[in-house]
Amino acid sequence: VTLGVNLADLISLDAANLPLDQVQPGEGLDATLLWRAQSRIRTPYTVFLHFVDPNGNIATQIDQEPALPTTSWPISVTIDDPYTLVIPMGAMQGTYQLRVGLYPTGDPTNRLPVVDAGQTSADVNNRILIKEIIVRP
């Protein structure tokens, strides 16, 4: 999925690789985010992934620093950043959204603002829509 998202003129989320469009409760959903530093990053950032149910509630989430810390990202080099979200056993059937963003490590309320959502959208909480995923029984 090509995204082209600009976060605070500091980091770009160029794309995301998600092999699955549909999952079942208990399965893992693999997502590899392709980030690029636009300039030197001096703050360690944590990535959050929210798996949002059809009612807008977070069904499951991951908050973790990338394997290669943001402070060591070279400028203009694409960083592959893989994650696996496990779909909760009780997840109801329907269309979910995978949303992501960044915040300074230890400060989850201070998310990096989305300056340009590129080829996707972002909500008022600076959560970037990566893809809609169907949860089936």
Side-chain angles (χ1 to χ4, degrees):
V1 183
T2 301
L3 299 166
V5 180
N6 176 353
L7 292 118
D9 291 326
L10 181 65
I11 296 172
S12 298
L13 178 56
D14 292 339
N17 294 330
L18 280 96
L20 299 176
D21 290 328
Q22 298 185 15
V23 289
Q24 291 178 288
E27 283 186 337
L29 176 65
D30 292 329
T32 301
L33 305 174
L34 282 71
W35 302 104
R36 195 167 35 83
Q38 297 176 26
S39 58
R40 186 93 186 100
I41 302 171
R42 306 202 181 283
T43 306
Y45 285 97
T46 294
V47 174
F48 67 85
L49 290 99
H50 290 173
F51 194 63
V52 181
D53 74 17
N55 298 323
N57 301 312
I58 297 171
T60 188
Q61 72 183 71
I62 292 175
D63 287 72
Q64 75 183 46
E65 288 189 53
L68 180 64
T70 53
T71 51
S72 44
W73 289 0
I75 296 171
S76 298
V77 173
T78 301
I79 305 296
D80 287 17
D81 187 25
Y83 297 90
T84 301
L85 272 167
V86 177
I87 307 308
M89 288 307 293
M92 61 182 172
Q93 188 175 341
T95 303
Y96 288 66
Q97 293 182 337
L98 182 62
R99 290 188 169 271
V100 339
L102 290 162
Y103 60 81
T105 299
D107 189 6
T109 59
N110 191 19
R111 295 179 180 158
L112 266 184
V114 176
V115 175
D116 181 351
Q119 296 172 39
T120 185
S121 63
D123 66 14
V124 295
N125 298 314
N126 290 302
R127 299 186 311 176
I128 301 156
L129 176 63
I130 299 296
K131 190 174 186 178
E132 293 195 331
I133 306 286
I134 306 292
V135 172
R136 57 181 202 280

